[in-house]
Amino acid sequence: MQLSCNNINNMRASQIVFNLQKNGNRITRTRKKIIEIFSKEDKPINAKNLLRKLSLNDDKVNKTTVYREIGFLLKQNLIQQVYIDPKEIFYESTGLDHHHHLICNDCGKIEDVVLEKDLSDTEKELEKKMKFKVSNHSLEFFGLCVNCQ
Amino acid sequence: MQLSCNNINNMRASQIVFNLQKNGNRITRTRKKIIEIFSKEDKPINAKNLLRKLSLNDDKVNKTTVYREIGFLLKQNLIQQVYIDPKEIFYESTGLDHHHHLICNDCGKIEDVVLEKDLSDTEKELEKKMKFKVSNHSLEFFGLCVNCQ
DNA sequence: GTGGGTGCAAAGCCTTTGCATTCCC
DNA sequence: GGGAATGCAAAGGCTTTGCACCCAC
């Protein structure tokens, strides 16, 4: 199970690397690792997390590189910001299925959730009523997780 | 129009001040001013905005005071954080009707919107399916406003 | 008068920038 | 070899902290 899941994710990472390279971007060891981390991870990551994950392995990566790489991946639209904490910027892969987050106010745990109904009706309402052209939305739920209730 | 609107908001501010005082909190000039600003303002405000608004008038207020006052109002649950920009923390009065924001990706304008349907069904779904007890949510829309389309 | 509120300066954090060095293609 | 990517140190920007002074009650 875990294995097949990893395979799928690794395929996604390779695909991303392939496309980047095709478009003339260099694939350095750090860039490849970061792409793999974002492909494997199903929770939002911030710069500090990412630095820690990278440093777990063999060689160290400088934080400047991490920030620059985040900027690069944002520009390539491979990751996106997640609006769950106004004090820290979190990111997640744009390749994930459209989902939302449950953030526990007590322990800080973040869970993903795919909702049964989407917000397309609401977005239509906004475009009609407010003449606002919605390109994306952020819907996050705050409360208490099972363990903290 | 404008006048009556201000009156309503000023009433709200006086009510807040009254309650704070009743609970043993001191009402300083700065605290009162900040409460009035949040009551009058219908857009999310950040510390910098607030400092600027306070400095427009007669005497200057120190930024430390602004940050401490924001902390105080948060603790009193009179203002809440708004999740629209991961780089800056915005706040708005908790006394406003439940609403969401439309953030223009081009000019940065923030509009309020009250949606026809609420998310209570979705919150019930989450409590049932994920055993997550929702206390509040953040729903923000990003896109292009009328002028920027 | 007392204790909370304020101002100032300094420190803390996270993030960005400048510049010389490294290494992918 | 050329130019993008990297590492290091320093700077920037926002926020917090320490401490002496002030003012609301």
Side-chain angles (χ1 to χ4, degrees), chain B residues 35-94:
Chain B
I35 290 169
E36 278 165 4
I37 290 172
F38 272 113
S39 300
K40 282 202 186 94
E41 186 66 51
D42 60 347
K43 289 181 182 17
I45 309 176
N46 62 15
K48 204 169 24 170
N49 294 157
L50 191 51
L51 190 58
R52 198 180 307 128
K53 280 174 193 289
L54 287 166
S55 301
L56 280 182
N57 303 338
D58 34 8
D59 35 24
K60 292 206 170 43
V61 176
N62 191 277
K63 62 183 170 185
T64 306
T65 304
V66 167
Y67 283 111
R68 281 197 272 234
E69 209 51 41
I70 286 173
F72 171 79
L73 295 174
L74 277 175
K75 208 164 62 186
Q76 298 289 328
N77 204 35
L78 291 168
I79 60 172
Q80 61 191 350
Q81 296 176 335
V82 182
Y83 298 78
I84 51 174
D85 184 341
K87 305 215 175 188
E88 282 183 282
I89 314 183
F90 282 82
Y91 306 90
E92 68 182 6
S93 166
T94 49

Side-chain angles (χ1 to χ4, degrees), chain B:
Chain B
M1 283 293 256
Q2 187 59 35
L3 194 76
S4 87
C5 178
N6 279 338
N7 284 343
I8 289 168
N9 284 311
N10 285 336
M11 269 175 59
R12 191 188 290 146
S14 331
Q15 186 64 38
I16 291 168
V17 166
F18 178 79
N19 288 334
L20 281 177
Q21 198 154 29
K22 199 179 64 182
N23 292 323
N25 298 287
R26 289 194 186 164
I27 305 305
T28 60
R29 196 158 24 124
T30 305
R31 175 162 295 167
K32 203 171 164 190
K33 270 196 209 166
I34 292 177
I35 290 169
E36 278 165 4
I37 290 172
F38 272 113
S39 300
K40 282 202 186 94
E41 186 66 51
D42 60 347
K43 289 181 182 17
I45 309 176
N46 62 15
K48 204 169 24 170
N49 294 157
L50 191 51
L51 190 58
R52 198 180 307 128
K53 280 174 193 289
L54 287 166
S55 301
L56 280 182
N57 303 338
D58 34 8
D59 35 24
K60 292 206 170 43
V61 176
N62 191 277
K63 62 183 170 185
T64 306
T65 304
V66 167
Y67 283 111
R68 281 197 272 234
E69 209 51 41
I70 286 173
F72 171 79
L73 295 174
L74 277 175
K75 208 164 62 186
Q76 298 289 328
N77 204 35
L78 291 168
I79 60 172
Q80 61 191 350
Q81 296 176 335
V82 182
Y83 298 78
I84 51 174
D85 184 341
K87 305 215 175 188
E88 282 183 282
I89 314 183
F90 282 82
Y91 306 90
E92 68 182 6
S93 166
T94 49
L96 303 170
D97 289 336
H98 184 65
H99 64 281
H100 303 93
H101 301 106
L102 307 178
I103 301 104
C104 180
N105 286 330
D106 205 48
C107 70
K109 192 172 79 170
I110 302 165
E111 291 178 276
D112 285 4
V113 63
V114 176
L115 293 179
E116 279 166 21
K117 40 179 140 180
D118 67 6
L119 288 165
S120 50
D121 282 356
T122 299
E123 295 195 351
K124 272 183 209 135
E125 180 193 333
L126 292 179
E127 304 201 358
K128 199 168 164 190
K129 197 168 69 180
M130 309 288 290
K131 308 274 181 262
F132 188 90
K133 185 102 190 130
V134 178
S135 64
N136 64 307
H137 65 249
S138 161
L139 173 56
E140 318 295 349
F141 297 90
F142 301 87
L144 293 175
C145 73
V146 195
N147 299 329
C148 294
Q149 280 169 36

Side-chain angles (χ1 to χ4, degrees), chain A residues 98-100 102 111-118 141 144-146 149, chain B residues 121-134:
Chain A
H98 184 64
H99 65 280
H100 303 93
L102 306 178
E111 290 177 276
D112 284 4
V113 63
V114 176
L115 293 179
E116 279 166 20
K117 41 179 141 180
D118 66 7
F141 297 88
L144 293 174
C145 73
V146 195
Q149 279 168 36
Chain B
D121 282 356
T122 299
E123 295 195 351
K124 272 183 209 135
E125 180 193 333
L126 292 179
E127 304 201 358
K128 199 168 164 190
K129 197 168 69 180
M130 309 288 290
K131 308 274 181 262
F132 188 90
K133 185 102 190 130
V134 178

Side-chain angles (χ1 to χ4, degrees), chain A residues 74-91:
Chain A
L74 276 176
K75 208 165 62 184
Q76 297 289 328
N77 203 35
L78 290 168
I79 61 172
Q80 61 191 349
Q81 296 178 334
V82 182
Y83 299 78
I84 52 175
D85 184 342
K87 303 212 179 188
E88 282 183 284
I89 314 182
F90 283 82
Y91 305 90

Side-chain angles (χ1 to χ4, degrees), chain A residues 19-33:
Chain A
N19 287 335
L20 281 178
Q21 196 154 32
K22 200 179 62 181
N23 292 322
N25 299 286
R26 289 194 187 167
I27 305 305
T28 60
R29 198 159 23 126
T30 305
R31 175 163 295 168
K32 203 172 164 187
K33 272 196 209 165

